[in-house]
Amino acid sequence: MSETLLTLHKLIVRFPGSSQPFNAHPWNCSFIDSLLVGLVGANGSGKTTFFRALLGELDCLQGKINFGSIGPCSFAYLPQETDWDPYQTVQKHLELAFFPKRGLFQKLSSEDYQKCFDTAEELQIKKFLSVPLGELSSGLRQRAFLGRTLLQDATVYLLDEPTNHLDAEMQDVFWMLVKVLSKKKLILVTSHDPGRVKRFCDVILKMENQCLTEKQSGAIPEESFQE
């Protein structure tokens, strides 16, 4: 049975060092432990900052973030811009997902290796496992970044415009993957794709001028997704 995993109650935040609040209107929302949430809104509306608040990178001026009975959540975060080593192979990049539990020098288990292969196959990058990231197209690199994020053993996944650089076929693959994962995990995705957000997401949040509201999928106008 699903239970409440994460709740924002009358939350107002600010950037470190700033004297002004980021959001004039408090954020209130609650998420269960198995859910796919679409976060929509124009560029600059506050979607990425919302993710940063969840990650604890902003100062809390009012309200709080409550965690469910399992205690503080672990987060896997895929930002819009990712630092990457051009000489690192896709295989080694995917293996970084297991660093928190394996450490720097301990080898991956056969089960973890299999997870890497399965994820690479699902994202259609298995034949590129030995290829350095710097030799890949931007679309293939984005698949590797996605793979590393999805392989992390987290309770909450924050994916900021994760389908950037992906063609239409791979966007469908991505959404189907996270839909399956959301049966066991909480996943929040920012997107400018109205069709897929309405099709796949269980809940849609709209960010407009730093104000957060929950909407039914059919009530989100197309312009809410525009840049």
Side-chain angles (χ1 to χ4, degrees):
M1 179 178 293
S2 297
E3 61 178 285
T4 301
L5 179 67
L6 184 64
T7 300
L8 279 65
H9 179 67
K10 297 182 179 179
L11 186 68
I12 293 181
V13 297
R14 70 178 177 189
F15 288 107
S18 173
S19 61
Q20 300 297 320
F22 173 76
N23 54 314
H25 300 282
W27 291 336
N28 292 281
C29 53
S30 183
F31 308 109
I32 60 174
D33 55 9
S34 53
L35 195 69
L36 181 53
V37 180
L39 179 59
V40 304
N43 283 346
S45 60
K47 302 188 300 298
T48 298
T49 303
F50 179 75
F51 278 2
R52 291 185 61 189
L54 293 179
L55 292 168
E57 296 180 359
L58 302 185
D59 297 332
C60 178
L61 290 178
Q62 174 185 304
K64 55 185 177 180
I65 299 177
N66 291 326
F67 298 100
S69 59
I70 67 169
C73 300
S74 58
F75 291 90
Y77 176 46
L78 179 63
Q80 291 189 37
E81 299 296 332
T82 303
D83 292 330
W84 51 281
D85 179 354
Y87 301 104
Q88 186 178 64
T89 65
V90 172
Q91 174 73 38
K92 292 299 182 182
H93 187 77
L94 295 179
E95 290 177 9
L96 289 175
F98 301 96
F99 172 76
K101 71 174 183 178
R102 296 294 175 187
L104 184 59
F105 301 107
Q106 188 174 355
K107 290 184 177 180
L108 268 65
S109 67
S110 58
E111 180 182 0
D112 290 340
Y113 275 119
Q114 189 60 51
K115 289 179 180 177
C116 285
F117 295 144
D118 291 344
T119 299
E121 188 168 34
E122 288 177 313
L123 292 171
Q124 300 177 26
I125 53 174
K126 193 171 183 178
K127 66 180 180 181
F128 300 102
L129 286 173
S130 62
V131 178
L133 294 174
E135 296 181 14
L136 299 177
S137 67
S138 57
L140 288 171
R141 268 197 306 274
Q142 185 68 7
R143 295 187 214 177
F145 300 155
L146 278 170
R148 174 187 170 182
T149 305
L150 297 177
L151 279 166
Q152 295 178 52
D153 186 19
T155 49
V156 182
Y157 294 78
L158 306 177
L159 310 178
D160 199 356
E161 297 291 344
T163 57
N164 280 351
H165 310 298
L166 299 184
D167 60 26
E169 179 183 358
M170 286 311 304
Q171 289 183 42
D172 285 334
V173 169
F174 160 76
W175 280 105
M176 288 186 284
L177 276 175
V178 295
K179 186 64 175 179
V180 171
L181 185 59
S182 70
K183 301 300 181 183
K184 297 181 179 180
K185 303 287 185 176
L186 170 59
I187 305 177
L188 284 75
V189 182
T190 68
S191 178
H192 289 289
D193 186 337
R196 291 183 176 89
V197 168
K198 292 179 180 180
R199 174 184 171 192
F200 288 100
C201 292
D202 304 304
V203 173
I204 299 178
L205 299 178
K206 180 183 178 183
M207 186 72 75
E208 185 174 16
N209 297 324
Q210 297 82 49
C211 182
L212 187 70
T213 56
E214 182 175 332
K215 299 288 187 179
Q216 298 297 321
S217 60
I220 299 288
E222 297 289 317
E223 55 267 26
S224 298
F225 296 84
Q226 300 306 310
E227 299 185 6

